[in-house]
């Protein structure tokens, strides 16, 4: 039996992992993320892949890069949400988006069935 090679994560997946870790408090305010070069080697991906993931997190306001020092979880000013709170909110929004997308897909199937003159099955598309 041949072992299937493990799929290497892309930047979106790496960012999601760190986003979840930040939301779960694994990386708190001011914590340094793993060095991009070493982490890329550990995952077996290109350095640019990890840098792109860190860039996504920076665009979301969760981390900041410090020249020559690394990438750190943002330590917010007083009254501002922490990176953990922001990451948790992003995770909740993604879950809600997945739910809404599913509902829209079901609605589309029903509309297509009605337009086609078929009957609509409440559990799914036209029969």
């Amino acid at each position: 039996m041949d072992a299937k090679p493990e799929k290497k994560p892309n930047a979106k997946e790496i960012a999601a992992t760190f986003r979840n870790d930040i939301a779960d408090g694994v990386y708190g305010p001011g914590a340094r993320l793993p060095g991009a070069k070493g982490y890329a080697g550990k995952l077996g991906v290109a350095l640019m892949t990890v840098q792109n993931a860190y860039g996504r997190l920076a665009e979301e306001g969760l981390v900041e890069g410090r020249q020559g020092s690394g990438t750190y979880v943002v330590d917010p000013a007083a009254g501002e949400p922490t990176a953990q709170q922001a990451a948790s909110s992003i995770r909740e929004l993604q879950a809600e988006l997945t739910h809404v997308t599913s509902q829209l897909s079901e609605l589309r199937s029903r509309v297509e069935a009605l337009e086609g003159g078929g009957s609509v099955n409440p559990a799914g598309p036209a029969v």
Side-chain angles (χ1 to χ4, degrees), residues 2-77:
D2 292 330
K4 194 174 190 180
E6 191 174 319
K7 179 186 173 288
K8 295 178 183 178
N10 60 34
K12 182 178 178 181
E13 294 165 336
I14 294 169
T17 298
F18 279 111
R19 187 179 307 108
N20 286 331
D21 286 348
I22 292 168
D24 292 339
V26 175
Y27 295 98
R32 184 177 186 272
L33 297 186
K37 185 176 181 180
Y39 196 65
K42 177 181 172 184
L43 295 177
V45 299
L47 172 60
M48 184 64 79
T49 303
V50 175
Q51 290 173 331
N52 286 341
Y54 286 0
R56 285 175 178 259
L57 297 171
E59 288 172 6
E60 294 169 4
L62 300 177
V63 301
E64 62 185 2
R66 298 181 190 160
Q67 188 67 30
S69 179
T71 303
Y72 296 82
V73 176
V74 173
D75 192 2

Side-chain angles (χ1 to χ4, degrees), residues 74-96:
V74 173
D75 192 2
E80 293 291 319
T82 65
Q84 182 178 3
Q85 292 166 328
S88 182
S89 294
I90 291 169
R91 186 168 54 187
E92 290 170 10
L93 286 171
Q94 288 174 326
E96 183 65 24

